[in-house]
Amino acid sequence: MINVFIVDDHPLVVEGLKSLLYGIDDIQVVATAANAFEAFEILQKVNIDIAFLDINLPDVNGIELCKKIKGKWPNIKCIALTTSNERTIIGRMMQNGAVGYLMKSSSKDELIRAIRQVYEGGYFMNVTMSETVVDKSLTVPFLTRREKEVLGLIADGMTNVEIADKLFVSPTTIKTHRENLLMKFGVSNTASLIKVAAQQGLLEE
Amino acid sequence: MINVFIVDDHPLVVEGLKSLLYGIDDIQVVATAANAFEAFEILQKVNIDIAFLDINLPDVNGIELCKKIKGKWPNIKCIALTTSNERTIIGRMMQNGAVGYLMKSSSKDELIRAIRQVYEGGYFMNVTMSETVVDKSLTVPFLTRREKEVLGLIADGMTNVEIADKLFVSPTTIKTHRENLLMKFGVSNTASLIKVAAQQGLLEE
DNA sequence: ATTAAAATCCGCTTTTTAGAGGATTGACTT
DNA sequence: AAGTCAATCCTCTAAAAAGCGGATTTTAAT
């Protein structure tokens, strides 16, 4: 019997998963949690085989949670739960010990396949996602604090001069940061820079 | 007894809603559909009070479906089902006859309240969303086919000349489209254009 | 048939960014 | 003490976009 644990703050998703898994002989949902704090309390009491982790939790994000679970309970297999727009974060999730991910738009069959495959020591990824996307996500560039700051201001529509004024530095400095951003993201202009940044969730509101 | 109909291509969401509504005295889920085509077949046979419509259906989008339902069955109340990133489309949905919207992250209570409120002739909107967001969503600019196309190519990092070559038109034409895009979005440069476009879900993949 | 909207085109000027090739300072690591 | 890296600054040139003022032709809707 595979003991499944669901961590997601969306009741719809939790209920949906429970409902889809109900009646499957070798699988049982033994607990659910709406946030990382709750999740930890449960993990200490309940014996878990597989944990589904939402990437956007209210307190800690799924990536951190995954890392922590892997640290304390290395035998628990974590599967990331994602929506379409969060695909690019999957690479980071895998680097932090997840052994699978499942899009919330997956079918019942995919869900069950994911659980069994992961339980038997394998990896699971939605087939709809090509390796290229995974590769892309793995190349999320490391940005310095300053670069992130400049990136945000660029996305807000500010020019180099405006940003320079705001940060009390020279426009050439901002220009350099901008060039480094283009280089790190492997793009050739601002438009694609902002696009990939947005897709990787680096631009909040 | 309130007859509820769910149209969503995500099994998780369908199952979640069914499961959350199961056992509520005055509400019953009488049918579900995974796309607009299926939905229409069911609507002709089954008596529906309230229809939950996903905004991103595989065939027709939820906005179109809402419009068509309102045209044929004016008594059916449509509630838009949205995820966080689709918030901005809600304005259009309401303009096409929806009387409510519900985020997929809503709680069971909100869900039930939405159904009852709408059934009794009222409107329902998640309280978590302020009017400012709704205002924003109402100002999602209407883009022509060509403008959407050009927007996508701009986001891909292409210059006016490159886009012009690809579309077999003059660079000045692309320039005009670009100006119109900036104007419609109320922004002053490409960076913020791509940012808001991305936030409004206009840039896929 | 008329009108409105969309899509197409042009020239001109100014501003902004990209591209190339540098250099210096300070902080932290080894 | 040497090395690495982030952050800062510089010049010059070329390319691209923004801002201005137009115009014509399809296409669709009433």
Side-chain angles (χ1 to χ4, degrees):
Chain A
M1 201 69 167
I2 309 174
N3 291 325
V4 172
F5 178 37
I6 301 165
V7 187
D8 197 314
D9 59 321
H10 301 349
L12 219 62
V13 175
V14 175
E15 284 303 316
L17 280 172
K18 275 171 70 176
S19 177
L20 286 173
L21 294 175
Y22 186 79
I24 309 296
D25 289 346
D26 55 339
I27 299 169
Q28 63 179 348
V29 177
V30 289
T32 66
N35 55 56
F37 183 77
E38 262 183 58
F40 259 83
E41 293 200 324
I42 289 165
L43 282 162
Q44 275 155 346
K45 293 176 205 158
V46 186
N47 188 35
I48 307 285
D49 295 308
I50 290 173
F52 280 96
L53 308 181
D54 182 25
I55 284 188
N56 283 327
L57 289 171
D59 41 4
V60 187
N61 69 47
I63 296 162
E64 280 306 305
L65 181 58
C66 181
K67 205 171 170 181
K68 283 179 186 163
I69 291 177
K70 272 289 143 190
K72 280 207 172 181
W73 299 275
N75 292 328
I76 297 180
K77 320 270 188 187
C78 294
I79 298 179
L81 269 178
T82 71
T83 65
S84 54
N85 281 340
E86 295 161 332
R87 285 182 292 183
T88 44
I89 321 180
I90 294 160
R92 279 191 252 167
M93 199 83 181
M94 305 298 280
Q95 286 172 328
N96 282 293
V99 292
Y101 72 79
L102 196 74
M103 295 203 5
K104 288 184 183 175
S105 57
S106 303
S107 67
K108 184 174 180 176
D109 283 349
E110 281 181 305
L111 169 63
I112 293 167
R113 187 145 32 92
I115 293 175
R116 293 197 179 132
Q117 206 161 309
V118 164
Y119 184 71
E120 286 159 16
Y123 285 79
F124 183 88
M125 300 206 172
N126 280 58
V127 278
T128 47
M129 187 162 305
S130 64
E131 305 91 61
T132 53
V133 176
V134 176
D135 285 349
K136 259 197 220 161
S137 67
L138 285 170
T139 61
V140 172
F142 169 77
L143 301 184
T144 66
R145 258 164 287 115
R146 202 56 155 178
E147 282 168 348
K148 276 182 205 161
E149 194 177 10
V150 172
L151 175 60
L153 296 172
I154 291 171
D156 285 339
M158 292 172 74
T159 67
N160 288 343
V161 177
E162 286 167 344
I163 297 171
D165 276 356
K166 189 182 171 79
L167 302 182
F168 303 107
V169 296
S170 149
T172 43
T173 303
I174 306 302
K175 186 180 176 306
T176 307
H177 286 313
R178 198 172 198 135
E179 280 166 10
N180 291 336
L181 283 166
L182 291 177
M183 200 195 57
K184 286 189 176 181
F185 278 92
V187 295
S188 61
N189 64 23
T190 307
S192 23
L193 171 67
I194 300 303
K195 187 192 170 192
V196 296
Q199 283 173 346
Q200 296 181 353
L202 266 38
L203 266 32
E204 299 314 322
E205 217 58 17
Chain B
M1 200 69 166
I2 308 174
N3 292 324
V4 172
F5 179 35
I6 301 166
V7 186
D8 198 315
D9 59 321
H10 302 349
L12 220 62
V13 175
V14 174
E15 283 304 315
L17 280 171
K18 274 171 71 177
S19 176
L20 286 172
L21 294 174
Y22 187 78
I24 309 296
D25 290 344
D26 55 339
I27 299 170
Q28 63 179 348
V29 177
V30 289
T32 67
N35 54 56
F37 183 77
E38 263 183 58
F40 259 84
E41 292 200 325
I42 289 166
L43 282 161
Q44 275 156 345
K45 295 175 203 157
V46 186
N47 188 34
I48 307 287
D49 294 310
I50 291 174
F52 280 96
L53 306 180
D54 182 25
I55 283 188
N56 282 327
L57 290 172
D59 41 2
V60 186
N61 70 45
I63 296 162
E64 280 305 305
L65 182 57
C66 181
K67 204 172 170 181
K68 283 179 185 166
I69 292 178
K70 271 290 143 188
K72 280 207 173 183
W73 299 275
N75 292 328
I76 296 179
K77 320 270 189 191
C78 293
I79 298 178
L81 269 178
T82 72
T83 65
S84 54
N85 280 340
E86 296 161 333
R87 286 180 292 183
T88 45
I89 321 181
I90 295 159
R92 277 192 254 166
M93 199 83 182
M94 304 300 279
Q95 287 172 328
N96 281 293
V99 293
Y101 72 79
L102 195 75
M103 293 201 9
K104 288 184 182 175
S105 56
S106 304
S107 67
K108 184 174 180 174
D109 283 348
E110 280 182 306
L111 169 62
I112 294 167
R113 188 146 30 92
I115 294 175
R116 292 195 180 135
Q117 207 162 308
V118 164
Y119 185 70
E120 284 159 17
Y123 286 80
F124 183 88
M125 299 206 174
N126 281 58
V127 280
T128 47
M129 189 163 307
S130 64
E131 305 92 59
T132 53
V133 177
V134 177
D135 284 350
K136 257 199 220 162
S137 70
L138 285 170
T139 62
V140 171
F142 169 77
L143 301 184
T144 65
R145 258 167 285 116
R146 202 56 155 179
E147 283 168 349
K148 276 181 205 160
E149 194 177 10
V150 171
L151 174 61
L153 296 172
I154 292 171
D156 285 340
M158 292 172 75
T159 67
N160 289 344
V161 177
E162 287 168 342
I163 298 171
D165 275 356
K166 190 183 171 78
L167 302 182
F168 303 106
V169 295
S170 149
T172 39
T173 303
I174 306 302
K175 187 179 178 303
T176 308
H177 287 312
R178 199 174 198 131
E179 280 168 9
N180 290 336
L181 283 166
L182 292 176
M183 200 195 60
K184 287 189 175 181
F185 278 92
V187 295
S188 61
N189 63 24
T190 306
S192 23
L193 171 67
I194 300 303
K195 186 193 170 192
V196 296
Q199 283 174 346
Q200 296 181 352
L202 266 37
L203 268 31
E204 298 314 316
E205 132 206 27

